[in-house]
Amino acid sequence: MSTNTPWTAADKAPLQRADDLLQRMTLEEKVMQLSATIPIPLLGADGLLESQAAKLLGSGIGHVSAIGLFGHKEPATIARTVNAIQRFLVERTRLGIPAIFHNEALNGVLAPEFTVFPTAIGLAATWNPETVGEMADLIRRQMRSVGLLQALAPVMDVARDARWGRVHETYGEDPYLVSALSVAFTKGLQGDDLRDGVIATAKHFLGYAMSEGGQNMAATQATARELREVHARPFAAAIELAGLASVMNSYSEVDGIPVGASKEILTGLLRGELGFEGTVVSDYQTVAMLHSRQNVARDLAEAGALALSAGLDVELPAVVGYGPTLADQVRAGAVAEEDLDAAVRRVLRDKFALGLFERPYVDEDPIVLTATARQGVDLARRLAGESVTLLKNEGSILPLSPRLRRIAIVGPHADEVGFAFPGYTYPVGLAMLGAMMGGGDGAMAGLDALGGEMPAEAAAAVGAEFAGALTVSSEDYIRQRYGAVSLADAIRDLVPDAQVTLARGCGVLDSEPHDLDEAVAAAADADVVITAVGGRGGWFFGATTEGEGSDSADIELPRIQRDLLAAVAATGTPVVGVLSTGRPMAIAESLPSLTALAHAYYGGQQGTRAVADALFGITNPGGKLPYSMPRHTGQVPIYAGQHHGSGYRRTASDMHKGYRDMPGTPLFAFGHGLSYTSFEYSGATLSSSTVESTGSVEISVTVKNTGTMGGDEVVQLYVGDTATGLTRPAQELVGFRRISLAPGAARTVTFTVRMDQLCYLGLDRTSYIIEPGPIDVLVGSSSDDIRARARFEVVGPTIQLGRARSYLSESRVE
């Protein structure tokens, strides 16, 4: 490899270096930069298999999937493996181009030893972008330490259908909340300079969560306006405010065209309308699915040509329709070489921006790497604590007294730890790959699906590794590796003098063993019953209620759990419910059985301790719902941003409202969350009652803690707007701020809202506009608990906006 060329000069701009290197590449080298591999076929018991590396990496490679480094590999082993592959690429290929190793990082690095934070929907319940950004910054340093430089996160889907199994991976139903948290995560992960950062990959573009029937990978059910105003907004915000570097396509189709083959979406909308300049990577097997699942391509060659021509730069996780097949398509004229070069240029630019050419290798010190991987335990507990959302507290039964003598803990989550680790956490990933591989010598049925091929030596190595890994039960593994404890054990630690009786009563699903009589007996003999109920997240395989490939036509709490709650409530003992789930569950039938109810989501390795702290008043719950909780499956989708005259946003005089058999309103509204203290809001004050359409307005409200316990409140700012010829959301979140207040303390929160933040797509759908007219201001504790109102008038001409506009308001606390 020559060292006297412009592309090797570190002082040159990444794009300039990429242009120079691109000119020196053969067609075969170019197509391999748009391709990826999984490392399993490359690895034997003693390390890299040279013959396999020469076969799969001889012309270079763009990406390597570190998800294939699963097993019981310690951080130092991951680092050594990354270094071995990078060394081959740098020293044994013609141009010496290193690879980008990517991995999942939804709520922590998806690998052994790394800290597991609450799942994304739990992070959303904190309504705290600053702390989420702190978490992402730590994930950045942890990934960097082992050579992983692209994260397939965050998920920016706006999730409004509770039937969809992947809600837990998202930041909820509201485009503003999703935008705020996505921007914070992206900034934390990418850092101020990608030379020390990790590329964030926003997914899944576009409208993935709004699918037909709530089913994963089904056709997107959204209009062109909704796609842009709702589902594209978080991506647009991250592009504009955080310099988002990568996007992953949705598996779904939009208007009859799979996104992976849609030039309208990947080029016209993403690059043209949103101004995205980064790299588009495929969701796993997207290219193959164009042929095998969606039947829009006659063969894999045509699938690859369609995808690249649409604007899909990199095929993950292995070569199927790209690589040599794509080279043949370029030679045949089915793919324009300028399209190929544009995609390769973006991949090379990323590698230069990451500093890969100057620093292709990482330190392999096991002590340092393990210590780095285990950082963030206190942060994980803080995030889990901030996410706990108090939904009901009849008679202020909570917080529980530490002087309680007899406590019964029942329910499927009472003595388990695994439920707090849903899909996209390492323990579930290990179980998924174990199932795919069959857990035996060389068994790798799932590898074909990933586009790989398994030589005998690699098969024997991975078979042995997984056979050993799968001898440890998930529960034991989680307790040993993460120090996680069950809710029962967390409570025993807090109240060691109490008699704590454990009686599960039932499993998560109706088909699992149950003994309601045991639970009833424990409840009858207790001063209080804590019921740990909810769902079980997974990843394609297993007995789950949610997760990727686990959608639900019925979102009710499983029947056996409803029967359990009714049975223990019939004893007359007060029942405190803890609901752990990653998506809205319809719990209207069981709510009367509960004296109090806390929503705990899936809290990761510190989740149960955080719940115990909240139940006994060590902490004061301050989480807020990131989604609306329906009364019944039939209400889905239901969300706070429904338009004037639609859904539950209808006037009192509207004769067509609600349902014949139940109210049309949610059981618990978006943004709802109680506290052990009380907060009083002053009236909202405005900096002006008239605002120029090019200007901004300041909205202030004072919040006072009028209770006897310190606590957090999330001040939520909504507006209501009308538009000529267009219906708008009756209530739209435009700002929020989480504040902490001691008893008797008061603080003033001031939001600054620019008028271009309130823009919407005009009637002709060609530009965003701001029209003169009245804007209603609503400030409160939730979307249905409004404490202060005001109104201002937008004056001046109608303004048409280009790409540049505001996405997030500013706030200050005095």
Side-chain angles (χ1 to χ4, degrees):
M1 182 179 70
S2 172
T3 57
N4 298 313
T5 55
W7 65 267
T8 63
D11 61 330
K12 303 295 184 183
L15 192 57
Q16 182 181 355
R17 298 175 73 184
D19 279 331
D20 183 75
L21 180 54
L22 180 65
Q23 296 173 23
R24 303 166 189 273
M25 298 177 73
T26 65
L27 176 59
E28 287 71 20
E29 289 168 334
K30 289 178 182 178
V31 296
M32 292 311 295
Q33 286 302 309
L34 307 185
S35 304
T37 188
I38 59 175
I40 291 174
L42 297 168
L43 305 174
D46 298 321
L48 189 68
L49 300 173
E50 292 288 330
S51 61
Q52 276 295 106
K55 178 181 178 181
L56 297 177
L57 308 178
S59 295
I61 200 76
H63 275 243
V64 178
S65 169
I67 299 170
L69 294 176
F70 277 163
H72 277 344
K73 288 184 171 66
E74 307 294 332
T77 307
I78 295 174
R80 283 195 296 273
T81 304
V82 170
N83 283 346
I85 294 173
Q86 295 286 40
R87 190 167 290 110
F88 180 92
L89 291 167
V90 171
E91 298 178 1
R92 301 283 298 279
T93 64
R94 187 178 76 90
L95 292 172
I97 303 173
I100 295 174
F101 280 74
H102 69 252
N103 199 8
E104 301 286 354
L106 179 75
N107 54 318
V109 183
L110 192 63
E113 298 291 345
F114 289 87
T115 303
V116 178
F117 298 94
T119 194
I121 201 68
L123 299 175
T126 69
W127 291 58
N128 195 337
E130 290 76 16
T131 314
V132 170
E134 184 181 345
M135 178 200 72
D137 179 71
L138 174 58
I139 292 172
R140 173 186 63 81
R141 290 181 277 117
Q142 290 173 326
M143 291 188 69
R144 269 268 170 189
S145 73
V146 291
L148 309 180
L149 299 187
Q150 181 156 350
L152 304 186
V155 174
M156 296 189 187
D157 298 314
V158 177
R160 291 178 165 180
D161 194 325
R163 297 170 297 179
W164 189 53
R166 303 187 69 174
V167 172
H168 84 87
E169 301 173 38
T170 77
Y171 296 134
E173 72 171 42
D174 185 85
Y176 185 94
L177 179 62
V178 177
S179 296
L181 295 169
S182 295
V183 167
F185 188 101
T186 302
K187 284 183 174 180
L189 193 68
Q190 294 189 170
D192 296 328
D193 188 329
L194 273 181
R195 285 176 293 184
D196 295 311
V198 169
I199 288 175
T201 307
K203 57 187 188 182
H204 307 83
F205 197 81
L206 184 64
Y208 187 44
M210 206 62 187
S211 60
E212 193 170 53
Q215 293 184 306
N216 196 44
M217 299 187 183
T220 292
Q221 302 290 290
T223 66
R225 183 180 302 281
E226 183 184 351
L227 279 175
R228 287 161 172 79
E229 291 187 345
V230 175
H231 300 284
R233 182 185 176 113
F235 295 86
I239 291 166
E240 180 72 20
L241 301 178
L244 176 67
S246 184
V247 162
M248 176 180 281
N249 69 281
S250 163
Y251 283 126
S252 66
E253 65 178 67
V254 173
D255 196 23
I257 304 174
V259 173
S262 176
K263 191 167 187 175
E264 178 183 356
I265 297 296
L266 295 182
T267 299
L269 176 53
L270 179 60
R271 297 195 185 280
E273 294 182 37
L274 303 190
F276 179 64
E277 297 180 351
T279 304
V280 177
V281 300
S282 81
D283 206 340
Y284 277 25
Q285 302 171 269
T286 288
V287 175
M289 288 181 185
L290 295 177
H291 168 59
S292 63
R293 188 175 72 85
Q294 291 160 312
N295 296 314
V296 299
R298 288 166 292 186
D299 51 33
L300 293 175
E302 186 174 35
L306 285 172
L308 185 74
S309 299
L312 201 157
D313 296 323
V314 182
E315 179 187 22
L316 304 181
V319 177
V320 175
Y322 282 19
T325 301
L326 185 60
D328 290 342
Q329 292 292 95
V330 174
R331 292 189 189 97
V335 173
E337 190 154 7
E338 55 264 33
D339 289 345
L340 176 73
D341 286 352
V344 176
R345 183 180 292 109
R346 287 189 281 265
V347 172
L348 295 176
R349 179 205 54 200
D350 288 348
K351 294 183 177 186
F352 286 119
L354 288 164
L356 259 175
F357 287 83
E358 288 68 50
R359 294 178 294 162
Y361 312 120
V362 293
D363 187 359
E364 298 177 7
D365 186 329
I367 295 175
V368 172
L369 292 178
T370 299
T372 300
R374 292 177 176 176
Q375 289 177 6
V377 174
D378 290 343
L379 176 60
R381 187 161 181 170
R382 176 153 49 99
L383 281 162
E386 288 188 3
S387 76
V388 175
T389 307
L390 185 61
L391 301 180
K392 179 181 179 180
N393 193 17
E394 191 175 292
S396 297
I397 187 174
L398 294 179
L400 297 173
S401 169
R403 294 186 295 275
L404 282 169
R405 305 309 304 166
R406 298 173 303 165
I407 302 170
I409 304 179
V410 307
H413 295 160
D415 62 342
E416 290 187 355
V417 294
F419 73 89
F421 293 73
Y424 290 89
T425 62
Y426 173 70
V428 175
L430 179 63
M432 180 196 72
L433 280 190
M436 291 174 68
M437 296 175 183
D441 293 342
M444 191 58 176
L447 186 63
D448 290 339
L450 295 178
E453 55 181 281
M454 179 67 78
E457 189 175 348
V462 74
E465 181 173 2
F466 274 85
L470 296 173
T471 59
V472 181
S473 76
S474 179
E475 286 289 304
D476 290 342
Y477 179 84
I478 290 170
R479 292 173 192 268
Q480 293 166 11
R481 286 298 183 104
Y482 298 101
V485 300
S486 69
L487 181 59
D489 287 338
I491 289 173
R492 289 189 180 107
D493 289 344
L494 281 183
V495 286
D497 296 331
Q499 175 188 321
V500 178
T501 303
L502 176 66
R504 281 173 54 96
C506 68
V508 169
L509 302 177
D510 296 345
S511 58
E512 296 171 0
H514 60 274
D515 185 351
L516 299 187
D517 290 341
E518 177 191 26
V520 168
D525 192 42
D527 299 319
V528 68
V529 185
I530 298 173
T531 56
V533 297
R536 182 188 292 137
W539 215 351
F540 301 115
F541 299 95
T544 63
T545 61
E546 60 190 290
E548 187 169 3
S550 186
D551 310 309
S552 300
D554 182 357
I555 64 168
E556 298 279 337
L557 189 69
R559 176 78 266 167
I560 190 62
Q561 295 191 55
R562 285 179 273 162
D563 290 345
L564 172 70
L565 293 174
V568 297
T571 66
T573 303
V575 180
V576 173
V578 176
L579 179 68
S580 296
T581 178
R583 61 174 173 83
M585 273 190 168
I587 56 168
E589 176 185 326
S590 298
L591 193 60
S593 299
L594 302 171
T595 311
L597 177 61
H599 195 356
Y601 313 94
Y602 294 130
Q605 66 189 66
Q606 290 292 312
T608 53
R609 289 187 175 93
V611 171
D613 288 345
L615 293 179
F616 284 88
I618 307 300
T619 58
N620 187 349
K624 299 285 187 175
L625 285 176
Y627 44 53
S628 305
M629 292 188 69
R631 301 172 188 273
H632 188 274
T633 305
Q635 291 180 291
V636 173
I638 185 171
Y639 49 93
Q642 290 179 317
H643 286 209
H644 289 286
S646 185
Y648 75 97
R649 297 301 189 179
R650 307 188 187 211
T651 62
S653 61
D654 192 338
M655 63 183 294
H656 303 289
K657 64 176 182 291
Y659 297 91
R660 175 189 58 79
D661 48 357
M662 70 180 61
T665 54
L667 183 66
F668 293 109
F670 171 75
H672 173 71
L674 305 175
S675 173
Y676 296 153
T677 191
S678 54
F679 299 101
E680 180 180 274
Y681 283 62
S682 70
T685 60
L686 307 177
S687 57
S688 177
S689 60
T690 59
V691 183
E692 291 288 337
S693 51
T694 55
S696 62
V697 65
E698 289 192 345
I699 302 164
S700 300
V701 65
T702 299
V703 182
K704 181 178 182 179
N705 183 343
T706 55
T708 59
M709 185 177 185
D712 287 6
E713 172 68 328
V714 178
V715 181
Q716 301 168 40
L717 172 65
Y718 298 87
V719 299
D721 189 11
T722 58
T724 303
L726 289 170
T727 58
R728 299 289 300 143
Q731 194 169 302
E732 184 177 3
L733 182 69
V734 296
F736 62 87
R737 184 68 179 261
R738 183 167 180 146
I739 59 174
S740 297
L741 290 172
R747 304 190 79 180
T748 298
V749 179
T750 299
F751 297 96
T752 301
V753 181
R754 290 179 52 87
M755 293 305 98
D756 59 359
Q757 183 188 327
L758 308 183
C759 67
Y760 48 86
L761 204 57
L763 279 169
D764 59 4
R765 295 204 302 270
T766 61
S767 62
Y768 285 82
I769 64 172
I770 308 161
E771 290 183 304
I775 301 288
D776 291 318
V777 174
L778 307 93
V779 186
S781 186
S782 80
S783 61
D784 75 341
D785 184 9
I786 301 303
R787 309 286 186 88
R789 298 175 183 268
R791 171 177 279 198
F792 64 88
E793 188 88 12
V794 178
V795 297
T798 295
I799 301 295
Q800 291 190 334
L801 298 172
R803 184 181 299 151
R805 57 184 184 274
S806 300
Y807 292 95
L808 302 176
S809 60
E810 299 176 358
S811 65
R812 66 178 187 270
V813 181
E814 299 168 317

